[in-house]
Amino acid sequence: MILDFLFAFGLLLTPASQLRLAGLPVGPGELCLFIWVILVLGREAARLRLLLTPALSRLLVFWSLFVLAQSLGTLTAKLIGDEHDSEWFMHDVMAYPLLAAISCLSVVGPHPRARLRRITWLLCGLGTPVIVAQLADAWGLYDLPSVDPMWWDQFRGWSSNPHQLAVLCMVLGILSLHLAETSTTLGSRIGALACAIIPVYTGRITGSDSFTLILVLAGPIFLAFKCRIWLFSRARQISFRSAFAWVIVLALPGLVISIAPLAYSIAVEASDLAKSMARENPEQTREKTELRFELWSQAVRRGVQSGMLGLGPGPHLEIPSSIVSARNLDTIHPQFVEHPKPSFVPNFEAHNTMLDLFTQGGLLVVLSFVWLVVMAFKSAYATGQAGLPTLLCGLCIYAIATFLLRHPIFWFAIAVCLTAEPMPAGQLRSIARGNALRCHARLANAWGRSLTRPRPAYGASQLGSRSS
């Protein structure tokens, strides 16, 4: 339980980058996760037996390909004479091993599914007081000297920007929905749904466009997965849920025809709702869209110039001139913000997971990342629940506008999805038996080499001493 609490606190406090030590990329969240990694490594070393489950195998394959792709990208950058910002290069070099350790160690052991569910409850339960503490700081109930909870008119809490906090709130909200869906008692379902209230409210006031989009689409996506699961239930006797789903599907054409006269008014109301939820005027939205397309086209161009091998860790794009001009014109800036400054070398990111991976590791790392997400979705969908597939859809939406790979909470979600489908007992025993046989074979080979090693001949003095 101590390890679980440490892991949950680390995941919750890692986005709180304003709490990091001055000049160091380390804060309370990173320290908790680092201590957790050391303790789990010690525990697994004491067991002397590693259970190579499908989830762990997939993560090891991905990170092996990731290291290979990043190494090839670094060599490619050296060969073509491409320069990079050494500070942000080392930032990624130090962050990626910790993320790999977190993702792999979270699924080790004989029963990772039950352990991750327990951590999920801790994460959602502790997430509400942690977010409330950030809201209380913004409301002036107390004051942290090194924290500015506002980003102009957006709430960011203890994070450097609102998007870091919004990703955390989105994951906590949908994980709470998943716990409510899979709970067996009414009290636990009500408690799980209560854990989603504060994260959803906080994610909304962050002003994140991606969170607003997910908030609108999460309900229809969840219901679509639910209906899909109910329609194709394998139960011998049709249940009430399956019958209800089939009634909806068969009645859908008639419903569409009957509400066709109201389609225009519904569209108008939805447009008004979208305008009320938007926080920017059309001119600002257009400028932001043009800026994103400029960054994305630059990322594609840089990735193709590297022969689709990438350029190694770190950012590889030039800061757009519009951002530099905006920073010079603004007289008031949010405090405690770490962002790349104008330099002679490229040090900006595309803020898109696929394109940032493409510029770093080329096509190899992009394909391996897609494969891992597909495997996670396949495992989550096979459970027959809708919460985890909805969570992956939300993460994919966020991946369009941010670099998710450096968020530890993302790797926790991937680990939960990869271990969601329970393995049959026979498969679990066969995996354990295979690992044990390999371990015994290695020990037998080592013992055989020690027996066949030539021994030194006894000299005269040694024979005399033995006989005496």
Side-chain angles (χ1 to χ4, degrees), residues 37 52-53 65 156 183 191 200-201 262 287 312 356 376 380 398 461 465:
V37 167
L52 197 60
T53 59
L65 294 175
R156 62 171 178 172
S183 296
V200 171
Y201 167 76
L262 301 176
E287 292 177 356
D356 283 320
Y398 247 112
S461 60
S465 62

Side-chain angles (χ1 to χ4, degrees), residues 135-148:
L135 291 171
D137 186 14
W139 294 336
L141 299 181
Y142 69 96
D143 183 34
L144 290 178
S146 61
V147 171
D148 180 11

Side-chain angles (χ1 to χ4, degrees), residues 5 56 68 117 122 129 163 183 201 223 244 318 349-351 354 367 407 410 421 432 448:
F5 270 105
L56 180 59
L68 176 62
R117 181 173 178 82
L122 289 173
H163 302 290
S183 296
Y201 167 76
L223 292 177
F244 178 76
E318 297 181 357
E349 292 181 337
H351 297 283
M354 289 297 184
L367 294 178
H407 291 256
F410 167 77
E421 184 181 8

Side-chain angles (χ1 to χ4, degrees), residues 344-363:
F344 294 104
V345 294
N347 58 0
F348 207 75
E349 292 181 337
H351 297 283
N352 180 285
T353 301
M354 289 297 184
L355 293 179
D356 283 320
L357 287 176
F358 185 58
T359 57
Q360 290 190 7
L363 192 60

Side-chain angles (χ1 to χ4, degrees), residues 27 40 71 211 256 339 444:
V40 174
S71 302
F211 187 89
V256 171
H339 52 69

